[in-house]
Amino acid sequence: MNMDTFVHLEVLSAFSFLWGTFTPEDLVEAVVSMGQKSVALTDYGLHGAIRFYKAAVRSGIQPIIGTKHRIWDGSQVTFLATSFESYRNLCRLVSITSNSGVITKQDLSHYSKGLVTIAGGRDSLICAALKKRRFDEAELGLLELKSSLNNPEWLFITIQNDGGSDQLLENKIDFALSMNIQIVATNEVTFLTPRDYILHRILVNIQCKHHHRTVTPLPNDSFFLTSIEEMENRINYHQAIENTQYVASLCKRFSLPVGKLHPPSIQAPKKASEKLTKLCFKELATLNSPVGVNYFRRLDLELEAVNKTRLADFFLLVRNVVDFARSGNIRHSVRGSAAGSLIVYLILGGVDPVANDLLFERFINDGRGDMPDIDIDFDSERRDEVINYVLGLFPRQTAMVCTIHKFKCRSAVRLAARAMGYPLNEINRLASCLPWSLRGRDLKLSLQELPELRSAPIQKETQLVDLASRLTGLPFQTSVHLGGIIIAPDDINTWSPVGRSPKGLPVSQLDKDDVEALGLLKLDILGLRMHTAITKALEILDEKGINLNLDHIPLDDKRTYSLLCSTHSVGVFQLESPGQRSLLGCLQPTEFKDLVAEVSLFRPGPVEGDMVNVYIRRRNQEESVPFLHGTISEVLKETYGVILFQEQVLRIAHFFAGLSYAEADAFRRAMTKDRKSRKMELLKQCFIEGAIDHGHSKSLAEKVFTQVSAFASYGFCKAHAASFAHITYQSAYLKAHYPQAFYLGLLNAGQVGSYPHSVVINEARRWGLRIYPPHVNSSDVEYTAEGTGIRVPLDVINGVGPALARRIRANRKRFGPFQSREEFLARIPAPKRIEDTLSIAGAFEGLEYYEWGLIQEAYNA
Amino acid sequence: MLNRAKYINEAARTRAYNETVSMKVFCHAHPLSVMRPLLIQQNIIKATDLRRLPSGSLVRVIGLLVIVHTPPTKSGKRVMFLTMEDETGLIDVVVFPKAQKGFARTILTSEVLAVEGKLQKQGVKGISISIVMEKALTAWSGRLDKFLKMEVH
């Protein structure tokens, strides 16, 4: 029997949230193992489509992408894309479903071109009518649907045998034949094996109990990824099975433009490039200090590369966004490899890439298949203003990137237990024993290995543990990415379905990896709380008449380095964790490049590769730098022979082996991501041959390759490190010179860094600042300066939220200070519980004496 | 034996207790500072004292547990990095799997943690300090409000 005569055309993965039980990657793997050649993914949206497409292409399986929709008569209908153009229609239809729930006849007549339609499934008007032998009703439903389709010849009736009546199957076949409609066999695959049916039921129960929806699970365990034999046994109508192959052949032309760039075109490329060139030279001319000819050479080189890749528009767009931020005094900085570009420095600010020896080619090179990112961090509190500005610039072309949340250990236990009917107090008892540090660990393994869980009550709940483990890692829900905005070349609805977030923002169904795969432009408008803290600190200084511009402070301030060397770095950006504090003590930074190294060293890579100790010993002259080949020695001079930065890998591959920067970057990526690939082998060959061509011996080439490949994956992007180190220095400078403003900034910016407010307050006290407790007559809604100390706000008191704190302040401003506790309670009615807590916290302290003072005053008078 | 517990300032202790049960921060003093006379009796030293002791010393410290960090390791074994805080500063503690066997539960459920371990100093100036925990002093660990209400004999 030919194994590829049947194709599953209705498949719902875990991206039909809380319904399907497997990921698209699992589906592809199962299809491969069953020897089938094509498979469709027809979720209720397109969240899993791109990863499914990539996984299928990688495994040599023909991917068919479709979606399931509810139409005007309440029926569920599946549409399959036959080309990229029809995929764009699919996106439009999903957008309509996301926003209005159902598809109307008009929607279908506009957007069904090129789509294969599968109707008459379990949940459809046709099926319901045929069950009751109401052929007229079924005919009417079918004709209405058919008349709305652009390609009625691609309309199919599905037959399924899920253990229901054979009569229905026969009725459907007779009906379809009488209507001259083709028939396909499907199985509405929802789990890969019957064993996973229970997981499906649990997921549906989660929908019912957690989201309070009314959903009915599938009636039995027959909706699994069946083999051809199983389908032949179930469906006694061979043509329906063969037709699945016909449908697959209709979709053969379908492909997604993965791996190509699709930047938006805002203006003509020539015009954009002229504008960018002019802007850069203007900015170069207005730099604070005169620059050497090397800046001009570098700028020429960068502009050439940018114009070649037609990215000038993109740079101008980012400049536009930054101009908006500057006009509103919104603090921002560039992060990532983009900080290594002179163009970026000139038009967006940051650290000088020439002075700090940062490499442009890590950011843009000929070999990059994806759009380069310019990630910008903005003041967290004001990031929404920037997001709204960008969305308003191109309303038809933009949407937020979405984020997929997966079940994690604790949430899986809680939700599975709830679905299984455990009482709430029992769920709390079982889940509370699971520490937060379980994050990312396998539940079953943790229960075996972690000593604190040995006697945990959950150990006895074997079925719960089993189900929770199987749920862990499956998609649970989606949310809006914090700052990723897609800018499509044309209507965003034709690249991804777009829905609305609760805040009303347009949200795509593509996550950041999907956006990268489709080569779409993604602007990352990120939020950095340290920017908020610095802004607030500067405002406090401004109020005191100190006008400090942190972007122009000298980078060699002794007091700042002395503070860092003392390891008292709580609150300093990036350097406050235990590891970083310890590293500060060992490294004793004295200049900016030490901070760049410090930021790069304490990362999983260098720590795992034991590069940190080597670096420290060599820097402190406790160990000599080993002999290295001339070229390599030059490249690694700044890091004492240790490969610390990704840029160093690129330079070694470029100067030692003569690879172009594009090849060198591919070499670095291959070593970071997929070290066993064939591509890696080819690159190795390329590296060694290149080195030999450059006059090096084969043995030296191999030795260098081994050294570089051993450490390449540990390297950190120097441009990113330098950009972060700049913020580190600024925050340390503030702490060293203006501690009161620094701590107030930190405390008023929410949770900044690793430490809670209690630690920041204690640290401020140790720094010599006086801490004043919250008081109804003195506290504000934020931490405030009081003399040289800090007054704590009222909302640190348990039960007093910001709203009550604001009410107290407003009342005090209007009617004057509270003169007694009774007066306070008369003016601000508060529950007894809050009154007691305010009293215990000392927020009324002194009022009694004040009142007594007034009485005495009156008596004396 | 000389009873030195009488040196605890009861008013300060009540104030620390009140702050603990009513607020998220400590405004008047670090709660451990009021209990210090009692802690001295147990040979529990302060964070700043660690700078004066040589590497390798067996020390006892106590602190409010601020962060428990368990980063992934190459071997897959769990190493806990604790950050504790007393009235003089932060104390970094490393807990290897052997010490976790008996004390992981105490660590993960305590607000105040007292530990005994070996002092480890690094760097030319020896100011990169951590303690490799050998055991948790369970009698002195637990919830902060209970700790502050501890009966003194």
Side-chain angles (χ1 to χ4, degrees), chain A residues 46-93:
Chain A
L46 288 167
H47 290 101
I50 309 294
R51 68 187 72 206
F52 165 67
Y53 180 84
K54 286 197 291 183
V57 170
R58 225 175 15 241
S59 305
I61 296 286
Q62 182 205 339
I64 302 168
I65 291 183
T67 46
K68 221 172 166 68
H69 299 263
R70 197 165 287 282
I71 60 167
W72 59 89
D73 63 5
S75 303
Q76 292 213 3
V77 177
T78 301
F79 298 108
L80 304 173
T82 58
S83 62
F84 179 60
E85 278 313 305
S86 55
Y87 169 83
R88 288 161 76 103
N89 277 336
L90 213 54
C91 291
R92 287 188 177 109
L93 289 178

Side-chain angles (χ1 to χ4, degrees), chain A residues 75 120-132 138 168 172:
Chain A
S75 303
R122 235 173 19 87
D123 191 4
S124 69
L125 184 95
I126 296 171
C127 188
L130 290 177
K131 247 184 207 169
K132 294 173 190 160
L168 174 65
K172 260 195 191 175

Side-chain angles (χ1 to χ4, degrees), chain A residues 259-547:
Chain A
K260 290 178 196 159
L261 297 187
H262 300 99
S265 179
I266 301 158
Q267 53 193 320
K270 204 177 162 198
K271 203 174 160 197
S273 106
E274 276 170 13
K275 212 169 164 186
L276 180 68
T277 309
K278 220 184 241 178
L279 182 66
C280 288
F281 279 101
K282 191 180 145 205
E283 293 289 346
L284 191 61
T286 52
L287 277 182
N288 279 350
S289 50
V291 293
V293 71
N294 52 339
Y295 280 76
F296 289 92
R297 277 199 207 117
R298 166 102 175 227
L299 187 56
D300 260 347
L301 200 116
E302 289 195 14
L303 284 169
E304 197 188 322
V306 168
N307 293 332
K308 210 166 121 190
T309 42
R310 297 186 160 205
L311 288 170
D313 244 359
F314 169 48
F315 280 80
L316 290 171
L317 168 69
V318 182
R319 163 71 179 219
N320 182 344
V321 176
V322 165
D323 275 347
F324 168 77
R326 281 177 181 158
S327 68
N329 282 328
I330 302 174
R331 203 170 178 79
H332 61 274
S333 60
V334 177
R335 67 152 78 181
S337 59
S341 156
L342 180 59
I343 299 178
V344 168
Y345 170 62
L346 292 171
I347 66 172
L348 309 176
V351 284
D352 183 338
V354 180
N356 288 286
D357 194 24
L358 306 177
L359 191 65
F360 170 72
E361 286 78 3
R362 169 67 185 81
F363 172 46
I364 291 178
N365 60 59
D366 297 340
R368 265 193 94 139
D370 54 348
M371 279 294 291
D373 277 342
I374 300 184
D375 299 339
I376 309 177
D377 290 313
F378 291 91
D379 175 342
S380 278
E381 279 190 0
R382 302 190 60 194
R383 188 180 47 157
D384 283 356
E385 293 173 41
V386 184
I387 288 176
N388 287 331
Y389 176 73
V390 178
L391 292 175
L393 275 180
F394 312 99
R396 275 188 69 245
Q397 288 164 258
T398 48
M400 302 298 293
V401 175
C402 93
T403 303
I404 309 287
H405 294 278
K406 294 176 178 170
F407 281 99
K408 293 188 177 137
C409 267
R410 263 177 91 107
S411 63
V413 167
R414 292 193 73 91
L415 290 166
R418 196 151 179 212
M420 288 166 78
Y422 281 75
L424 207 58
N425 57 349
E426 181 65 1
I427 295 172
N428 287 338
R429 194 176 73 92
L430 293 173
S432 64
C433 67
L434 298 173
W436 292 108
S437 53
L438 209 56
R439 244 180 343 213
R441 289 177 76 108
D442 177 66
L443 179 61
K444 282 184 181 170
L445 201 70
S446 301
L447 288 174
Q448 280 167 21
E449 285 180 356
L450 298 181
E452 69 273 20
L453 297 182
R454 222 162 272 157
S455 56
I458 197 170
Q459 291 277 12
K460 290 177 192 156
E461 311 295 326
T462 45
Q463 196 188 12
L464 172 63
V465 170
D466 177 54
L467 289 170
S469 305
R470 284 157 70 188
L471 282 182
T472 307
L474 288 183
F476 171 54
Q477 61 184 17
T478 61
S479 72
V480 187
H481 186 279
L482 284 174
I485 302 177
I486 309 169
I487 306 177
D490 46 34
D491 184 1
I492 180 76
N493 280 292
T494 62
W495 288 88
S496 160
V498 177
R500 290 272 157 188
S501 75
K503 273 188 185 173
L505 295 174
V507 191
S508 82
Q509 292 194 352
L510 302 175
D511 75 359
K512 63 181 177 51
D513 296 330
D514 299 340
V515 175
E516 193 181 307
L518 285 176
L520 294 171
L521 171 63
K522 175 167 71 75
L523 266 190
D524 270 325
I525 310 287
L526 305 165
L528 195 68
R529 285 206 182 273
M530 184 48 77
H531 279 328
T532 315
I534 291 177
T535 304
K536 288 188 184 275
L538 293 178
E539 279 168 8
I540 289 161
L541 291 178
D542 202 39
E543 278 167 23
K544 289 184 173 179
I546 302 166
N547 188 7

Side-chain angles (χ1 to χ4, degrees), chain A residues 108-124:
Chain A
L108 215 49
S109 60
H110 286 157
Y111 304 124
S112 63
K113 195 172 176 198
L115 295 177
V116 170
T117 309
I118 300 175
R122 235 173 19 87
D123 191 4
S124 69

Side-chain angles (χ1 to χ4, degrees), chain A residues 247-269:
Chain A
V247 172
S249 73
L250 288 176
C251 302
K252 204 104 197 172
R253 272 190 322 119
F254 170 76
S255 73
L256 285 174
V258 167
K260 290 178 196 159
L261 297 187
H262 300 99
S265 179
I266 301 158
Q267 53 193 320

